[in-house]
Amino acid sequence: MTILAGAFIVAMSFVTAAISGVFGMAGGLMLKGALALVLPVSATFVVHGLLQLVANGWRAILHRKFVSWKIAAIYALGAFTAGGLIGLVVYEPTRATLYLLMGLVPGLVWLPQGWVKVDASRPSQAYICGLSVTGMNLTAGVAGPLLDVFFVRTTLTRHQIVATKAATQVFSHMMKVAVYGAPLIAAGGKGIPPWWVFALAIPLSMLGTAAGGILLNRLSDVDFKRYLRLILTVIGAVYLVQAARLYLG
């Protein structure tokens, strides 16, 4: 890996962690696309999982008083189930397919609320949330908009939403690292960035998370949802264009 590519990953770790610190997602979607520009597809799952595991874990710690631990615990059961099932299947999308899937995922935020009546605060649906969101994380690489569908109908505040989603995503990213990391390490770790990239990216992602938390306090609940939809839509559109370019190129 070139120094420039490593520096790019480090910089994006900070920027995307800050975005996720504000909205509880979007940053992970952006980071995954950035990693796909400079890493092999299988390596993007592992690196994305590690960096997002740290960013989400730190965000959950910073906002721990707002976390709904009941939702997080039941979600974890669904996440472990998804990891176990998908771990039995050999799956790795092409770069073009990866961008296509990532470009389609943000469309979920535009589903009319009346179409999908799910609520993560209900135990059975928290389990389904963990199963489906982790499943999408392990196939498309990201699943923030699907996760958001389960939180739209909850009575949680924006702080509780960001904190609880961060806690749940710790388990999803653990599964991502386990499912893709084991065979990658067995193959010699091809495509994994050098140690110094992680040494710089991890503390910067923690710093970005803290910075995002400060901005979150300045947003109203209405602006929080409005800006989130706009950002996700723009990112999705960019990824669809990139997918088309790769398929036709």
Side-chain angles (χ1 to χ4, degrees), residues 181-197:
L184 198 61
I185 292 174
K190 183 179 179 181
I192 298 295
W195 67 268
W196 63 266
V197 172

Side-chain angles (χ1 to χ4, degrees), residues 124-146:
S124 61
Q125 293 184 16
Y127 177 81
I128 295 173
C129 179
L131 181 66
S132 59
V133 171
T134 302
M136 183 175 285
N137 247 313
L138 292 172
T139 52
V142 290
L146 177 59

Side-chain angles (χ1 to χ4, degrees), residues 104-126:
L104 293 174
V105 168
L108 291 170
V109 300
W110 292 101
L111 285 176
Q113 291 188 22
W115 285 18
V116 183
K117 298 181 179 180
V118 291
D119 185 343
S121 63
R122 298 176 60 182
S124 61
Q125 293 184 16

Side-chain angles (χ1 to χ4, degrees), residues 8-22 26-28 30-31 201 204-205 207-209 211-212:
F8 173 72
I9 293 175
V10 170
M12 290 304 295
S13 297
F14 172 79
V15 172
T16 56
I19 292 173
S20 286
V22 179
M30 187 181 296
L31 178 62
L204 280 176
S205 68
L207 182 61
T209 296

Side-chain angles (χ1 to χ4, degrees), residues 132-223:
S132 59
V133 171
T134 302
M136 183 175 285
N137 247 313
L138 292 172
T139 52
V142 290
L146 177 59
L147 177 65
D148 193 55
V149 168
F150 284 87
F151 281 83
V152 167
R153 288 181 173 275
T154 66
T155 57
L156 303 179
T157 67
R158 67 185 185 280
H159 288 88
Q160 291 174 316
I161 289 174
V162 168
T164 304
K165 288 200 296 187
T168 63
Q169 291 315 284
V170 167
F171 300 105
S172 284
H173 292 301
M174 284 174 58
M175 293 300 98
K176 190 183 296 183
V177 172
V179 170
Y180 286 94
L184 198 61
I185 292 174
K190 183 179 179 181
I192 298 295
W195 67 268
W196 63 266
V197 172
F198 292 102
L200 292 174
I202 288 175
L204 280 176
S205 68
M206 296 169 71
L207 182 61
T209 296
I214 295 174
L215 294 175
L216 174 63
N217 292 328
R218 300 183 179 181
L219 281 180
S220 67
D221 285 342
V222 174
D223 287 338

